[in-house]
């Protein structure tokens, strides 16, 4: 009996999960020089191009090899809803079937995109609908960056046009600082001047109050930080925000230098 062999499936790297230095290392592993990574980074973020064939200043052989080992993959849009004031909400699905929400809020002079960092949440805040579904998993860096990249495309981003998304807030599903290792590099891509090129004052991580991570992030990046208090005193906050029992308001204020 003759044996049949199957061709192994190569899992392609989603380039949205790489910071600029990570992309330089990836490209170096392909035998290419660092400037190729910078070209690629610009194509993906400055021009919002996700197909390697369209990246015309890259060598054809490099583009061919990229298509074999890499991709630019975003979440799948399950539904999209637009309100009368222009606010848009998307329900996005990832591999494995999990879904999250993403919201764009237009205002005079600014457009804020609210993104998710987890599928579900572990914080168990009593007023939050996400807490009712429990925790499924952390989103990886590519899944976080992919939300912004996809929203830009959906909102008609043009390299030569006005910026549509001016602000990004980690205020969707999940506690961002509980997914520290994926959120921080995602924010780095958003603030990179060759990446999404957002001001450090315009990328905000909203936390329910994980003090050790708050102190750590202050040392590692310049991203803006917002603390959701939800209550005027420790007693009430401990009732509705369980994390306050471990990190009360006074600890939050001390961590913020007050």
């Amino acid at each position: 009996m003759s044996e049949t062999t199957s061709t192994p499936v190569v899992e392609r790297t989603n380039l949205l999960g790489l910071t600029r230095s990570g992309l330089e290392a990836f490209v170096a592993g392909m035998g290419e020089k660092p400037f190729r990574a910078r070209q690629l980074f610009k194509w993906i973020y400055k021009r919002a191009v996700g197909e390697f064939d369209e990246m015309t200043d890259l060598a054809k052989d490099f583009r061919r090899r990229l298509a074999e080992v890499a991709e630019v993959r975003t979440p799948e849009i399950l539904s999209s809803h637009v309100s009368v004031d222009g606010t848009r909400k998307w329900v996005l699905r990832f591999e494995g079937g999990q879904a999250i929400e993403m919201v764009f809020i237009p205002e005079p002079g600014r457009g804020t995109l609210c993104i998710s960092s987890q599928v579900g949440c572990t914080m168990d805040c009593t007023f939050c609908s996400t807490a009712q579904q429990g925790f499924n998993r952390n989103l990886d860096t590519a899944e976080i960056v992919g939300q912004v990249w996809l929203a830009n495309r959906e909102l008609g981003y043009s390299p030569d046009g006005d910026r549509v998304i001016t602000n990004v807030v980690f205020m969707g599903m999940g506690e961002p600082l509980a997914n520290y290792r994926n959120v921080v590099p995602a924010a780095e891509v958003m603030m990179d001047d060759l990446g999404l090129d957002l001001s450090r004052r315009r990328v905000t991580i909203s936390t329910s109050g994980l003090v050790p991570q708050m102190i750590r992030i202050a040392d590692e990046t310049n991203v803006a930080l917002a603390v959701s208090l939800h209550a005027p005193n420790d007693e009430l906050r401990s009732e509705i925000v369980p994390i306050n029992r471990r990190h009360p308001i006074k600890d939050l204020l001390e961590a913020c230098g007050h």
Side-chain angles (χ1 to χ4, degrees):
M1 180 182 295
S2 62
E3 294 184 0
T4 58
T5 58
S6 58
T7 303
V9 177
V10 177
E11 185 175 348
R12 294 184 293 170
T13 298
N14 189 348
L15 299 185
L16 295 177
L18 302 179
T19 61
R20 193 199 310 188
S21 61
L23 188 57
E24 288 176 352
F26 180 82
V27 167
M30 297 178 65
E32 297 286 341
K33 294 184 178 179
F35 80 91
R36 291 297 186 198
R38 293 191 289 274
Q39 286 179 305
L40 189 52
F41 214 65
K42 288 180 181 179
W43 273 108
I44 294 171
Y45 296 108
K46 293 294 190 184
R47 302 183 186 180
V49 172
E51 298 296 329
F52 300 127
D53 283 344
E54 298 177 17
M55 301 179 182
T56 51
D57 63 351
L58 299 181
K60 286 185 177 180
D61 179 65
F62 180 42
R63 283 183 271 164
R64 177 188 58 77
R65 290 188 294 123
L66 272 173
E68 293 173 353
V69 299
E71 62 183 336
V72 175
R73 184 176 70 253
T74 62
E76 174 191 355
I77 297 175
L78 287 181
S79 65
S80 177
H81 304 277
V82 184
S83 70
V84 292
D85 66 354
T87 297
R88 296 185 61 167
K89 180 170 77 172
W90 296 268
V91 177
L92 307 178
R93 179 169 62 189
F94 300 101
E95 290 185 6
Q98 301 102 341
I100 57 98
E101 290 184 348
M102 174 176 72
V103 178
F104 175 72
I105 305 169
E107 298 175 281
R110 62 188 286 165
T112 301
L113 185 71
C114 181
I115 62 173
S116 297
S117 56
Q118 297 178 313
V119 181
C121 188
T122 62
M123 295 296 103
D124 201 28
C125 299
T126 59
F127 54 84
C128 180
S129 59
T130 301
Q132 308 310 309
Q133 74 178 63
F135 175 74
N136 190 296
R137 68 176 178 88
N138 288 325
L139 297 183
D140 64 30
T141 300
E143 291 169 331
I144 297 170
V145 175
Q147 295 173 64
V148 187
W149 199 89
L150 178 62
N152 260 331
R153 294 274 289 248
E154 286 288 296
L155 295 167
Y157 170 83
S158 170
D160 301 319
D162 292 333
R163 187 187 294 272
V164 181
I165 298 171
T166 63
N167 297 66
V168 173
V169 183
F170 288 80
M171 198 183 283
M173 294 172 63
E175 164 54 58
L177 293 186
N179 186 15
Y180 191 95
R181 67 186 182 90
N182 292 315
V183 163
V184 170
E188 184 178 333
V189 172
M190 294 175 201
M191 297 183 294
D192 193 306
D193 57 358
L194 296 185
L196 291 165
D197 195 22
L198 292 167
S199 164
R200 295 180 183 274
R201 294 179 291 108
R202 294 181 179 269
V203 178
T204 302
I205 293 176
S206 178
T207 176
S208 58
L210 276 66
V211 174
Q213 290 91 328
M214 290 170 61
I215 295 172
R216 179 182 172 190
I217 204 169
D219 292 332
E220 295 184 3
T221 181
N222 258 346
V223 67
L225 194 64
V227 181
S228 301
L229 295 178
H230 298 297
N233 56 63
D234 269 341
E235 292 73 21
L236 179 56
R237 192 170 195 269
S238 292
E239 288 182 24
I240 63 177
V241 183
I243 191 65
N244 194 67
R245 297 164 198 164
R246 284 193 286 147
H247 302 298
I249 290 176
K250 62 180 180 64
D251 290 346
L252 299 179
L253 294 174
E254 288 174 4
C256 296
H258 295 286

